[in-house]
Amino acid sequence: MARMLDACAELVDELGYDGLTTTLLAERAGVAIGSVYQFFPDKRAVVQALTMRNLEAYLRQLGARIAEERSAYWWDTVDAAIDEYISMHRTTPGFRTLHFGDVVDIHLLDDERDNNSVIVEQLAALLVERFGITPGAELEFALSVAVETADALIRMAFRRDQVGDPLVIEEAKALIRDYLHRHVR
């Protein structure tokens, strides 16, 4: 399955989501087409699995970085969260094209909630666990605004510069830190 997801990531980067087919995926992964259909009913399902793998990797890397840096303040995680996202954007095959699935379907990660809501829930859990922040609707709303803002600014950074305009990235960090500092307790 890992080979199929790796092949999917490569093909999405090369051809985009619309150019991806299960036949091309099977060829690139070096598996029979039946093997693809054994695990995935269609290309959307393959991309969904790749997106979930990327989300898990992102959260794992972010959690490890927070633990490693032993951040005393929750707002230090803003820089870490953006830096990890930028790093995946630059280095993880398929991520620059798919992000967390929004280019395919805003409900790719969950049928009931949009992709960013799933990410917000995960980030909220991380902040509550690590820093003892009060969970609830206020936290999730503030994180929703922050995630949507970061998403827009990171897209802008990569439109301005292929590796991400560092000025836009730094402004995104400052803006989101300031916003969350006012709204998260």
Side-chain angles (χ1 to χ4, degrees):
M1 182 153 28
R3 277 197 337 230
M4 287 185 269
L5 296 180
D6 292 343
C8 177
E10 292 170 7
L11 288 166
V12 164
D13 277 346
E14 292 170 22
L15 307 171
Y17 177 73
D18 292 335
L20 175 68
T21 67
T22 53
T23 302
L24 287 173
L25 175 67
E27 289 172 6
R28 179 68 60 94
V31 300
I33 190 73
S35 295
V36 173
Y37 288 119
Q38 178 182 356
F39 293 100
F40 308 106
D42 54 28
K43 75 177 186 177
R44 183 186 184 281
V46 181
V47 170
Q48 183 178 37
L50 176 62
T51 301
M52 289 301 293
R53 182 175 82 170
N54 287 343
L55 177 59
E56 290 165 4
Y58 172 76
L59 293 169
R60 189 174 49 253
Q61 290 165 213
L62 179 58
R65 181 171 172 172
I66 291 168
E68 178 183 299
E69 292 177 356
R70 302 195 196 302
S71 301
Y73 304 103
W74 65 263
W75 52 83
D76 292 334
T77 63
V78 170
D79 287 0
I82 291 174
D83 288 343
E84 289 303 324
Y85 187 91
I86 297 294
S87 176
M88 286 186 73
H89 203 277
R90 291 176 178 155
T91 63
T92 303
F95 192 79
R96 184 174 186 152
T97 304
L98 297 173
H99 308 279
F100 288 122
D102 54 320
V103 298
V104 175
D105 181 351
I106 63 167
H107 295 282
L108 188 66
L109 297 174
D110 186 293
D111 290 337
E112 302 297 317
R113 301 173 298 152
D114 65 77
N115 299 334
N116 280 349
S117 294
V118 174
I119 294 163
V120 163
E121 179 183 275
Q122 297 295 319
L123 291 175
L126 187 69
L127 290 173
V128 168
E129 179 184 324
R130 173 68 175 92
F131 297 101
I133 292 174
T134 305
E138 288 181 41
L139 173 61
E140 291 198 10
F141 177 77
L143 287 175
S144 292
V145 170
V147 166
E148 294 290 342
T149 303
D151 195 33
L153 290 172
I154 290 168
R155 287 178 194 269
M156 176 185 173
F158 281 91
R159 278 194 319 270
R160 291 174 55 116
D161 185 321
Q162 188 173 9
V163 295
D165 184 327
L167 294 174
V168 175
I169 293 167
E170 287 307 311
E171 285 298 313
K173 290 177 184 179
L175 185 106
I176 293 165
R177 263 194 320 268
D178 290 347
Y179 171 78
L180 287 175
H181 189 68
R182 290 192 318 266
H183 295 283
V184 175
R185 306 275 179 254

